[in-house]
Amino acid sequence: MDSSGAVGAEHRRAGIRALPPNDPRQYDDLADQWWRPDGAFAMLHWLAAARARLVPPATGPGALLVDVGCGAGLLAPHLHGKGYRHVGVDLVRSALVQAAGHGVEPVVGDATAVPLADGCADVVVAGELLEHVPDLPGTVAGICRILRPGGLLVLDTLNATALSRLLAVRLAELVPGVPRGIHDPALFVDPRELIRLCARHGVRLSVRGVRPTFWRTAGWVVRTATGRSASTVDRPAPRIVPTWSTAVLYQGRGVKQS
Ligand SMILES: C[S@@+](CC[C@H](N)C(=O)[O-])C[C@H]1O[C@@H](n2cnc3c(N)ncnc32)[C@H](O)[C@@H]1O
């Protein structure tokens, strides 16, 4: 991540305080962006839709889905009709307030020490969280702890590769409107390490690469770069689809052994 003075100067011009890369206070400063489909977190909307497709309908009444690092609850609309009680855990209160407005039960907490009981969750979701946590082993332990035996873990994150750093940080941050410094590439996650850590806590994780569809994304980049943001009704949002390589973005899915 470029934490140079140039980034600091640019943020100051935009009226955004200069913060270190991956500082969670950035989410407070960008709070008005969460629910804008063409805003700074546009790609999180596309990823939430893809993540929800990995979550099956609840098998019984009262089934609990815990969304760790839920942000403003962008997953919520994609879970409608699936029958879960949706609890969201996050460090950032301003994001949780918005999540609550979308039907998520908010819990303030750190992923390494989720303030929920062992084995309480039928599904645990960790969307675009793991590339933000300084303590990956502690976070994986925390999310696996709250998963019940037989429960499902669903996640997506960024790989710790040079290609990922190039695309997800250096090139992405050239697009106007994409927040600078939101990622610290040193925290990106090697899927082999993630699989090992999950196995340590009884979750056999399978991973697959995903990517945004090319033409719709290219259209979105052009519209964003030229300031011609269009409604998603006129211009369907890019879809996140499976791809052969996990080198940049990947999803993980695994069941906790009984
Ligand atoms: C990129 S956002 C993803 C939000 C949401 N999952 C989504 O996909 O829309 C990362 C979120 O993780 C939260 N987060 C980062 N570190 C965390 C931690 N240690 N414990 C809990 N939440 C954390 C941030 O506050 C932020 O809301």
Side-chain angles (χ1 to χ4, degrees):
M1 169 59 41
D2 185 354
S3 55
S4 67
V7 170
E10 186 182 323
H11 279 191
R12 278 192 296 282
R13 272 198 302 280
I16 297 171
R17 57 187 160 161
L19 293 167
N22 196 47
D23 188 314
R25 289 174 295 175
Q26 293 181 57
Y27 297 104
D28 291 321
D29 294 350
L30 293 164
D32 65 336
Q33 296 291 313
W34 279 113
W35 280 94
R36 291 183 48 198
D38 275 341
F41 296 127
M43 195 163 174
L44 291 180
H45 288 256
W46 319 337
L47 284 159
R51 191 179 309 134
R53 290 196 285 273
L54 298 182
V55 177
T59 50
L64 178 64
L65 180 147
V66 181
D67 186 359
V68 184
C70 66
L74 303 188
L75 187 62
H78 305 287
L79 295 177
H80 281 164
K82 294 209 179 196
Y84 290 97
R85 181 180 157 207
H86 184 179
V87 168
V89 179
D90 207 286
L91 290 174
V92 176
R93 285 172 195 269
S94 61
L96 284 171
V97 168
Q98 295 191 49
H102 290 268
V104 179
E105 294 176 46
V107 174
V108 180
D110 191 298
T112 56
V114 177
L116 296 172
D118 293 3
C120 65
D122 298 281
V123 179
V124 173
V125 176
E128 299 303 300
L129 165 72
L130 299 177
E131 72 273 25
H132 294 282
V133 296
D135 179 3
L136 183 67
T139 299
V140 172
I143 63 182
C144 292
R145 178 187 64 73
I146 58 170
L147 189 60
R148 70 163 169 79
L152 176 69
L153 173 63
V154 171
L155 58 85
D156 42 81
T157 189
L158 287 163
N159 200 339
T161 60
L163 183 63
S164 184
R165 289 178 192 116
L166 176 71
L167 294 179
V169 182
R170 295 210 172 272
L171 291 183
E173 290 188 358
L174 294 176
V175 179
V178 171
R180 284 145 184 77
I182 205 87
H183 288 116
D184 177 353
L187 301 178
F188 287 7
V189 181
D190 183 331
R192 290 163 301 187
E193 187 189 359
L194 185 56
I195 288 168
R196 265 197 305 277
L197 290 170
C198 287
R200 197 184 282 173
H201 300 285
V203 176
R204 193 173 302 157
L205 193 75
S206 310
V207 299
R208 69 172 182 184
V210 288
R211 63 170 174 83
T213 46
F214 181 78
W215 288 111
R216 285 187 188 183
T217 308
W220 176 83
V221 169
V222 170
R223 288 197 306 280
T224 307
T226 55
R228 284 185 290 131
S229 193
S231 108
T232 49
V233 176
D234 304 333
R235 314 260 187 180
R239 258 176 87 85
I240 299 291
V241 294
T243 188
W244 59 273
S245 170
T246 59
V248 180
L249 256 178
Y250 61 94
Q251 294 176 320
R253 197 172 185 278
V255 171
K256 187 168 179 178
Q257 284 158 352
S258 304

